[in-house]
Amino acid sequence: MKKYLLTGLLVWLPLAITVWVLLWVMELLDGIFMALVSMIQAVSPGSIAASWEHVKHIPGLGVLLVFASLLITGALVSNVAGRWWLNHWHNLLAKIPVFKSIYNSVKKVSDTLFSSNGNAFRTALLVQYPRAGSWTIAFQTGTPVGEVGQHLGNDLVSVYVPTTPNPTSGFFLMLPRADVIELKMSVDEALTYVISMGSVAPTGAPASKTD
C-alpha cells in the first residue's frame, strides 16, 4: 500500500503544484486588476462606477487583460512609429528622480535576460564552488566588462550559481574561463537538476548502476 501511495503521489504532485502556481498567478493579476478598477470607480460618476462593479467579479479577466495588453504593446512597438514613442517614453521615465535609478537598473537586467541576441543564461557550466574539488551547476551570464574587466582581464566569465531548491537566490562569481566546464545539457535540464537536488538526471545522461 505504501508503494502505491507514493506512486500515486508522484503522478499527481507535479500537476497539483502546477495548478496551484497558475491559480496563484491568476489571483495576483486579478487582485491588481480589481485595485485598478476600484481606483477608476473612486473618480467616476455613480452610474459608471456601478457598471464597473460587475466587471470586478469576472474571474480570470485580469489575466486576459494583461495578456491582451502585452500583445497589443508588443505589436505597437514593433514598427518605426511605435519604437519612436517607446524611446521617448523611456527617456521621460529616466528623468524622474529616484524612480530613474530603479527603472534603469531593472530595464538593463530585463533587456539582457530577455534579448534574443543576449547570451545570459544560455549556457550551463560546471564550476568548483564553494571550494576547490567541490563542483556545482552554474549559468554563464556574460563576461566582466567596464572597470571590472580592466582590472581582471578578458579571460574570465561571469557566472550565476543558484541555490537549491530555490534557484531565484544564488551567488554571482567571476571565474577564469579555464576553471569552468561548459555543459552540453540545456539550461532547462540544468535548472531541473539543481531544483531536484540532483535526483532528476538530465535527459540522455547515463543511468547510475546499482548493485
Side-chain angles (χ1 to χ4, degrees):
M1 183 177 292
K2 180 180 179 181
K3 175 183 177 181
Y4 293 156
L5 286 175
L6 290 176
T7 303
L9 179 64
L10 292 176
V11 171
W12 287 105
L13 186 61
L15 177 62
I17 294 178
T18 302
V19 172
W20 177 78
V21 171
L22 292 177
L23 289 175
W24 178 81
V25 171
M26 187 173 70
E27 291 178 1
L28 176 64
L29 295 177
D30 282 347
I32 296 174
F33 172 71
M34 284 191 289
L36 293 175
V37 171
S38 299
M39 294 174 59
I40 296 174
Q41 286 180 307
V43 297
S44 300
S47 58
I48 299 178
S51 62
W52 275 104
E53 187 66 28
H54 300 288
V55 177
K56 289 173 61 176
H57 301 288
I58 301 177
L61 186 59
V63 178
L64 293 177
L65 289 177
V66 169
F67 178 78
S69 299
L70 293 176
L71 192 63
I72 294 172
T73 303
L76 290 176
V77 300
S78 296
N79 54 63
V80 177
R83 286 193 293 269
W84 183 83
W85 282 106
L86 183 63
N87 290 333
H88 280 71
W89 173 254
H90 288 325
N91 292 335
L92 175 63
L93 295 178
K95 294 179 181 179
I96 302 176
V98 181
F99 180 86
K100 65 180 181 180
S101 59
I102 302 174
Y103 177 79
N104 288 334
S105 300
V106 174
K107 186 177 184 303
K108 289 178 181 179
V109 172
S110 61
D111 288 346
T112 301
L113 293 180
F114 298 108
S115 173
S116 58
N117 297 325
N119 294 319
F121 291 92
R122 300 290 178 90
T123 305
L125 306 170
L126 269 179
V127 301
Q128 298 190 71
Y129 182 85
R131 61 177 177 80
S134 178
W135 294 85
T136 188
I137 299 289
F139 301 97
Q140 183 173 346
T141 59
T143 56
V145 294
E147 182 181 358
V148 175
Q150 293 176 2
H151 286 288
L152 299 179
N154 298 324
D155 199 25
L156 283 91
V157 292
S158 302
V159 303
Y160 173 72
V161 179
T163 55
T164 302
N166 177 20
T168 58
S169 63
F171 304 93
F172 167 64
L173 306 173
M174 288 171 282
L175 303 173
R177 193 178 299 273
D179 291 348
V180 305
I181 300 174
E182 185 172 331
L183 300 173
K184 295 182 180 179
M185 71 175 70
S186 67
V187 171
D188 290 339
E189 291 176 330
L191 194 58
T192 302
Y193 198 44
V194 171
I195 295 174
S196 67
M197 295 174 284
S199 61
V200 179
T203 304
S208 60
K209 296 181 180 180
T210 57
D211 295 333

